[in-house]
Structures are given as structure tokens and as C-alpha cells.
Amino acid sequence: MRTLAARHVFVGTGWLSPGLLAWDEDGVLIGVARAPRGTRLTDVAVLPGLVNAHAHLQLKAVGDAPPNFVQWIGKVMAARGRTSLPELATTVRAHLAALLRGGCTAVGEIDNAGTSPRVLARANFAGRCYQEVTGFHLGRDDARSLLRTREQVGSDACPGGIAPHAPYSVSAPLFAACRSRRVPMAVHVAELPEEQQFLHTGKGSLRDLLAKLDRLPRDFTAPGLGAVRYLERLGCLLPRTLLVHCQELERGDAARISAAGAPIVVCPGTIRYFGRVPPPVEDWLRRGIPVALGTDSRASNRALSMQDELAEATRLWPTLDPMRLLAMATENGARALSHRSIGRIRRGARADFFAIPCTENPVAAVASFVHGALSPVAVWLAGGKHAGRLLAQQG
Ligand SMILES: [Zn+2]
């Protein structure tokens, strides 16, 4: 058994000041309590490990944003095509190390090559690893065969999921096949005006892209609905479906999402990269939608750091206070990934947490961390400590 006695420990509903944590050899918290009088304390505030609810760890930077999204997709696809499987694994490892430095211990990874589960397991990261599929041209049988090639068993800490990429890149039969797996899903939804245009009318730059890729079925007719209503019609608007981005919601969509109990993840770095208008996160939270934060990939973000995402979030949504943002990056992240043993410091959860310097006021320390003025001094991943030089050297 190992222990940590700290000035302050955040346990979701409040602070243990001072707090005493104990965890077992398997990296599971077995004691979360107020530290007895006379215990020698470390001058830190301990916070639950951050959950990065949306990432593509296999992707590398592709330079500045081109004038339109279809050009960006082209750049990403070309770069991805030039990368070997061993290179993908190396890239994922480096990105996990970067995340860890910023206090992140769990990730919602979108894996399009089948290589990430092993890297995540070796690194002892928690979260969920979604196998990504695309195929706007696929009928029922082809959709089922594609899914059979993407069977991936994750670890207990980082189980598998399925990621039908987006309504403009996945056919209705492929969505149906994904849903019938009955595992958590992640879908890019209502990310672009062009996506809504294509779903309503069947026209625009995404139609041209699909035609160029030879993925537009001859008998294609547009669903005539926006992305969220289309997902609802497909039976995919579910509590286990993580909706990624939601930049272009239509009237009534937020109420639909809230009624369905589906979580949303927003990626501040991507909003900045493409110069997008920040979506109404405060309104979504008021409606009870669990809104989480993600880094997305290096192809649309200057770094992979949940601390950077928090700092950017303070600029995009200035009315959200630091403790609320922390909850988005922890508890809501766990909810987004349909994962019960991360996101909060409590008995039975993984011993995933990090420490920031603090003596007196822990809420002020959280505010400094969220604004980027304080860095983690140590991070515990499944109870294993990464600190000082070790933390700096990761990656
Ligand atoms: Zn994404």
C-alpha cells in the first residue's frame, strides 16, 4: 500500500483539508479520508487526473489551417497515408507523454489503424479507445464485414468503443452496424456548415469530396435533416454516444441532446485553429448536458495539453469558473467516455491524480492552474508517480 498526505485533496463534492490517500499495488484507491491530526503533509492540492475526452493521438501537425475544411481533410489524409504503423505507435507514445506532463491520465482516443490499444495499455493510460470507421458507400453486408475487421479488445482501464466518423462519411447501414455493437460510440457531429448543407440538400463541397473519393452511392438521396436529427432517426442519439464538436447545432438540437442524455465534447484548441465561433457551452451545461473538453489532434492544435485547453476555455467561455472547468475536464470527461473509475478521487477508482503547489487556498490554486500559471509538480498514473525530472523527460 502507498499513501499521500496533502494539504488539500479535491473529492468532487468538496475538499479534504488535509487529505490522506491510500492505494494498493494494482493502482486502485483504497482510502480517501481526512488526514489525522499530526500527519506530516505535503504542501500541495491534489486534483483528479484530467480526462482528455477527444483525441486522435496518431495524427501529426499539418501546418496552419487552409482556407477551407475539405482542403484540411486532404492534408490530413495525405500525411496519414505517408505514416507507417510503427511510426503511428511512436507518435501515440510521445503524445501520451505530453498529455501526462499536463496532468492528464485518461484519453478518448480515436484510432484508425488498430494500433493504439496496445500503446495505451503499455503506457497504463485510462480512458477509451474508439476504433474509427468510415464508408459513405457501404451497404449492410459491407458495413458488417468492415466492423468485423475492427474488433479490438481494450484493457480494463481503457476499454474499446466504436467511432463512426461523421454523418457525411458514414452510411446509414454502417451507423446501424456500429449501434448494434452496443458499445460506447464517438461521432463528429454538426462540425461544419457544409455538413449541415450536405445532409439537408445533398449538395456542396462534401458531396464533391465524396464523389472524388468514389464514395457517393449512385442512388444517394440526402436525409433532409440536420446532423443531430439524422443521428436521432438512425437510433444513434444515445447516452453512450459522445457527440464531438457540435459547432453548428440547429434550433431544438440542444433540447434533443439533453433529452437523449448524450454527452458533448468541445475542443478549444481546434476552435482557435480554425477561427470558429465558440459554441454555447454555458447553455448546454444549464440544460444538464455533460460537456467535456478534448485536445483533438495535433493536426488542429498547437500542442497536446489539457492545461492549455483549460486556459483556452477561460477565454472562450469567460463566465465558467475554474472549478466548473475542472469538472468538465474530469467528471464530465469520465461521463463522456462512459467510464466509471476515472474522473473523481474516491475509493475504488483508479489512483489517477496530480498535485499542484498549494498551502492555503486550494480554489485559488485551481484558478492558477486553469489559467496556466501553475504546473503539476507530480502526476500519479494508476498509482505510479511521475515527478520532477522524470515528468520533464516524458516524451
Ligand atoms: Zn476529432
Side-chain angles (χ1 to χ4, degrees), residues 54 56 188 244-245 296:
H54 182 66
H56 305 252
H188 296 79
V244 183
H245 297 314
D296 215 342

Side-chain angles (χ1 to χ4, degrees), residues 32-167:
V32 178
R34 200 169 292 280
R37 204 179 282 270
T39 309
R40 215 172 126 190
L41 303 170
T42 310
D43 287 335
V44 294
V46 177
L47 308 175
L50 303 176
V51 180
N52 177 0
H54 182 66
H56 305 252
L57 299 174
Q58 296 168 341
L59 299 183
K60 291 182 179 173
V62 295
D64 292 338
N68 70 63
F69 190 77
V70 170
Q71 283 175 8
W72 179 82
I73 291 179
K75 281 173 97 168
V76 172
M77 285 173 74
R80 172 66 189 79
R82 290 192 298 269
T83 313
S84 69
L85 293 181
E87 265 180 274
L88 289 183
T90 307
T91 305
V92 172
R93 264 195 297 279
H95 287 156
L96 287 175
L99 286 172
L100 187 68
R101 280 197 292 277
C104 173
T105 53
V107 64
E109 158 72 334
I110 308 290
D111 174 5
N112 70 19
T115 52
S116 289
R118 180 183 291 195
V119 184
L120 286 157
R122 285 216 175 131
N124 222 353
F125 249 71
R128 190 169 291 279
C129 190
Y130 301 90
Q131 293 301 311
E132 186 174 54
V133 289
T134 62
F136 198 74
H137 56 308
L138 298 181
R140 199 182 69 169
D141 293 346
D142 290 337
R144 287 180 180 174
S145 339
L146 172 64
L147 278 201
R148 275 195 292 276
T149 68
R150 306 305 305 277
E151 297 276 359
Q152 283 289 336
V153 183
S155 60
D156 285 351
C158 191
I162 188 83
H165 171 255

Side-chain angles (χ1 to χ4, degrees), residues 1-42:
M1 185 182 79
R2 281 182 281 175
T3 59
L4 172 67
R7 283 276 160 209
H8 310 278
V9 175
F10 186 63
V11 291
T13 47
W15 295 90
L16 294 174
S17 302
L20 178 62
L21 299 178
W23 59 98
D24 66 15
E25 292 303 311
D26 296 327
V28 175
L29 282 164
I30 51 174
V32 178
R34 200 169 292 280
R37 204 179 282 270
T39 309
R40 215 172 126 190
L41 303 170
T42 310

